[in-house]
Amino acid sequence: MKKYLLTFVILVISLFTVDGQIDAAFTAVPVVNGKVVFEQFILADQDVAAVQKYALLEKWGKQRFTGNPMLSGIRFDDKSRSVTVSSRAELMLPVNKEGVKEKVIMSYRFDASITNAGCMLVIRDITYQSTQKDAASFFPEVYTAEQTITDQAVNAGGDEGKWRSNIRKETLATLNELYTDLSTVF
């Protein structure tokens, strides 16, 4: 009897633990052939045809990005049932050692392609540009994701490592928000 009671208690505790977990698609920064590339497959209802899934994707893309001042470009490919979006996002970093809350602009490109089983989301070409202008430079410096958010870059240590770690955290939060929003479509 004690064995069954203990098993039941462990089962109940594990259910509460699973329920409290955050559903995050992106928790690490994958590097493929030297480039940061985030990939996630979104399963879709099998009763919905691929053509209908693409119509839902197209509608979502137009609603989410049309009129957005951060949008650089959007392309719909009816033949391959995919959408490619080039956009930017503002990342708000915590207050730095000078007491300034820094804003970083992240530029990225993503492709969402429909298959019979669902939607493949691929996010790539990520760069960062600080809005804090250096007095010695007219243009702010642009950093690639490979220079900024990889494990190797974040582990640099010091203020630079902390800055990169904050950018990584905000990047993952932004990409998870995009994934969650796209997941609700299907």
Side-chain angles (χ1 to χ4, degrees):
M1 181 66 181
K2 286 182 182 181
K3 183 170 68 171
Y4 294 116
L5 182 62
L6 180 61
T7 304
F8 179 73
V9 169
I10 291 172
L11 179 63
V12 170
I13 290 172
S14 66
L15 287 175
F16 283 115
T17 304
V18 170
D19 187 43
Q21 291 178 350
I22 297 172
D23 186 25
F26 305 115
T27 57
V29 178
V31 179
V32 179
N33 295 327
K35 297 287 185 186
V36 171
V37 179
F38 293 92
E39 297 178 322
Q40 190 67 36
F41 189 78
I42 303 166
L43 287 173
D45 184 1
Q46 297 305 304
D47 295 333
V48 179
V51 174
Q52 294 168 316
K53 291 174 195 166
Y54 177 67
L56 292 170
L57 174 65
E58 188 175 27
K59 180 180 176 185
W60 172 82
K62 289 177 181 176
Q63 287 176 343
R64 166 115 186 195
F65 294 101
T66 301
N68 183 342
M70 300 296 261
L71 177 68
S72 298
I74 188 167
R75 181 176 46 110
F76 297 98
D77 187 342
D78 297 339
K79 186 175 181 180
S80 67
R81 296 186 188 123
S82 67
V83 61
T84 301
V85 175
S86 296
S87 191
R88 296 174 304 202
E90 289 183 349
L91 307 180
M92 294 303 293
L93 303 183
V95 176
N96 61 19
K97 66 180 181 178
E98 288 87 30
V100 177
K101 191 167 180 94
E102 185 177 0
K103 182 172 35 173
V104 172
I105 303 297
M106 176 180 77
S107 298
Y108 62 96
R109 176 174 297 161
F110 77 85
D111 302 300
S113 304
I114 297 297
T115 67
N116 288 333
C119 179
M120 183 68 188
L121 174 64
V122 179
I123 305 167
R124 59 192 166 83
D125 300 337
I126 301 170
T127 59
Y128 304 94
Q129 186 173 8
S130 175
T131 58
Q132 308 293 328
K133 291 191 174 115
D134 185 1
S137 167
F138 181 72
F139 296 105
E141 193 166 350
V142 175
Y143 302 94
T144 64
E146 295 77 21
Q147 296 171 312
T148 312
I149 63 171
T150 60
D151 291 341
Q152 182 180 6
V154 169
N155 292 331
D159 290 338
E160 192 72 21
K162 188 174 181 179
W163 181 75
R164 291 175 180 173
S165 179
N166 288 332
I167 291 176
R168 178 182 177 145
K169 179 180 160 193
E170 290 299 313
T171 298
L172 291 174
T174 300
L175 298 183
N176 279 316
E177 179 187 321
L178 176 67
Y179 166 80
T180 300
D181 191 33
L182 181 56
S183 296
T184 62
V185 172
F186 307 105

